[in-house]
Amino acid sequence: MANEAKNKKVVAVMGTSTPSRELFDMAREVGFLLAKNDIAVVCGGMGGVMEAVCLGVSSAGGISVGILPSFRDDPNPYVTIPIGTTFGEARNAIIAAAGGVAIAIGGGFGTLSEIGLALRMGKTVIGLHTWQAFDPEGMSLPVIYVKSPEDAVGRALSFL
Amino acid sequence: MANEAKNKKVVAVMGTSTPSRELFDMAREVGFLLAKNDIAVVCGGMGGVMEAVCLGVSSAGGISVGILPSFRDDPNPYVTIPIGTTFGEARNAIIAAAGGVAIAIGGGFGTLSEIGLALRMGKTVIGLHTWQAFDPEGMSLPVIYVKSPEDAVGRALSFL
Amino acid sequence: MANEAKNKKVVAVMGTSTPSRELFDMAREVGFLLAKNDIAVVCGGMGGVMEAVCLGVSSAGGISVGILPSFRDDPNPYVTIPIGTTFGEARNAIIAAAGGVAIAIGGGFGTLSEIGLALRMGKTVIGLHTWQAFDPEGMSLPVIYVKSPEDAVGRALSFL
Amino acid sequence: MANEAKNKKVVAVMGTSTPSRELFDMAREVGFLLAKNDIAVVCGGMGGVMEAVCLGVSSAGGISVGILPSFRDDPNPYVTIPIGTTFGEARNAIIAAAGGVAIAIGGGFGTLSEIGLALRMGKTVIGLHTWQAFDPEGMSLPVIYVKSPEDAVGRALSFL
């Protein structure tokens, strides 16, 4: 029946706008695998890791949502639903809250802020080739570090 | 080709959480018609007009995005992609910016704030059974007032 | 004793960036009277009504806080504490929430959005030469309309 | 002349709500020294490091602004101007943008997110007994790490 109620599960993917080729390919694979598992992906909607993830989602026939810094910005061409905002760098606080789980890919200060925000909100954060951090007592971040897109998505699915 | 680039066009729908039966039906029809025209709908993701719009979108096989006040809130059952935030009443400022055009349905202070925000951002606002307002010089709002879901969606499409 | 605990009471003042001379003078008087009553004023920190209010506060030796659209914007010269943001037009949602009472002065879509947001948050809103609005049932806004700065501040004080 | 134009300089102070006694004392000293240098302090307005900073500011006769998670929250008793919001954890994105310089004190995920946000916005960040972080290439954060309140404030002043 066409209008049967069903919210999609959502994963937030955060990542640098200037990834290496290798990281771009990993991000694309993360997007592809999430979409294959019927997960909607929320990201920042611009270039780099964000474009790679949307490309992967698109090639699996899935849905991505891009939360843009400004409604005057052009999204990457692969994001299914671009959502304009006026929040600039503060849009990270929307993306961090968006999903049931967050996957952080690569470096960049924005990615670090999203890891902090997501943990602050009590979210599970999975890290792929991303920041390590240590608090003043030397405690490391409670990020689940993985080495491959398959592991990232596998762990994400286990928490949804 | 599966990964051909194509961003969907987006319309923001704003509306009261306590609509009359007649208004609920109109909001559902707005959602249905937008989705039939391959438009993605962004709304507040909760009850009332928001639920009606998502129901309409769902019954047309389309995609709706619900920007929730809190990631701890339960979305209505028909929203395709619920996006948690921490913004509370301020999420109106996300919804107002989200679309190329905004459709305001019914009363409620939140709807009034979204009309003001969308106009402030230079968006086209279409009003269906919603607020009238007059500035101190007696000038009325530059809202395009319509009487039916068909007119609301027809006018929205003409601006996208 | 210098560090005796005492939070100041706060009033949010919202208003157009393009006021008439008469409205500018009224806004300045509102700021002056609030500061004379030891109220801190929060506003948008830019020109027009915002500058007038900060000028009035300053001339009474009070404190104003300006929530700027961007931390790259220059505040008006009279705001005591300029607070940069990245929120653009969405900063209205900060200002509306900021005070125990909100005073809206003049027209402008931003002012309309702040009236809607403040009412949505359950705040008392006092209107001086500002928007009138009517919901689809013809009900008017629960704004307390006044005609003079003295009345605006008098009514604001009665709610703090 | 009473209404001579002069915006105060602003420093954002970020820090954990559960500091040790030693860290509380350092945060209080940071607030005291900033206020003695006529700097207005913006912080999160709640307990722990935030309360300590406001206490220090207050004992020097200065001005602190507290950006609260909700306008329904009670601020700490020492903040001069409490500013209610609806942004919850996302208020970190306001605080990070607020000042010309940011000082991060102690651990906590919120503090980490504010470091990331402030760096993302191109702000200077000074760290006192706070997070260390390393990106995937092993590069450390461009935070200016200091060991004492005097050094924190001295470095902050040099950038204003």
Side-chain angles (χ1 to χ4, degrees), chain A residues 2-10 40 42 55 58-61 63-65 67 71-72 75-87 90 93-94 97-99 120-123, chain B residues 2-10 40 42 55 58-61 63-65 67 71-72 75-87 90 93-94 97-99 120-123:
Chain A
N3 64 357
E4 184 185 326
K6 185 136 155 301
N7 304 139
K8 278 193 185 289
K9 287 178 176 159
V10 175
V42 174
L55 175 58
S58 172
S59 63
I63 303 174
S64 62
V65 176
I67 309 291
F71 62 82
R72 298 174 188 93
N76 74 59
Y78 304 107
V79 61
T80 318
I81 306 178
I83 296 195
T85 76
T86 63
F87 286 73
I94 305 174
R120 175 75 181 76
M121 295 172 190
K123 307 274 184 177
Chain B
N3 63 359
E4 183 185 327
K6 184 135 158 303
N7 305 140
K8 276 193 185 290
K9 287 179 175 159
V10 174
V42 174
L55 176 57
S58 173
S59 63
I63 303 175
S64 62
V65 176
I67 309 291
F71 62 82
R72 297 173 188 94
N76 74 59
Y78 305 106
V79 61
T80 318
I81 305 179
I83 296 196
T85 76
T86 64
F87 283 63
I94 306 175
R120 175 75 182 76
M121 295 172 190
K123 306 273 184 178

Side-chain angles (χ1 to χ4, degrees), chain B residues 2-87:
Chain B
N3 63 359
E4 183 185 327
K6 184 135 158 303
N7 305 140
K8 276 193 185 290
K9 287 179 175 159
V10 174
V11 166
V13 180
M14 315 157 159
T16 176
S17 58
T18 55
S20 64
R21 181 72 226 180
E22 187 187 5
L23 206 60
F24 186 96
D25 289 344
M26 287 203 289
R28 187 178 53 184
E29 186 68 10
V30 166
F32 181 85
L33 292 171
L34 287 170
K36 276 294 180 200
N37 283 282
D38 201 28
I39 306 294
V41 173
V42 174
C43 72
M46 302 300 286
V49 161
M50 298 168 271
E51 180 164 344
V53 167
C54 292
L55 176 57
V57 169
S58 173
S59 63
I63 303 175
S64 62
V65 176
I67 309 291
L68 308 177
S70 165
F71 62 82
R72 297 173 188 94
D73 286 327
D74 287 322
N76 74 59
Y78 305 106
V79 61
T80 318
I81 305 179
I83 296 196
T85 76
T86 64
F87 283 63

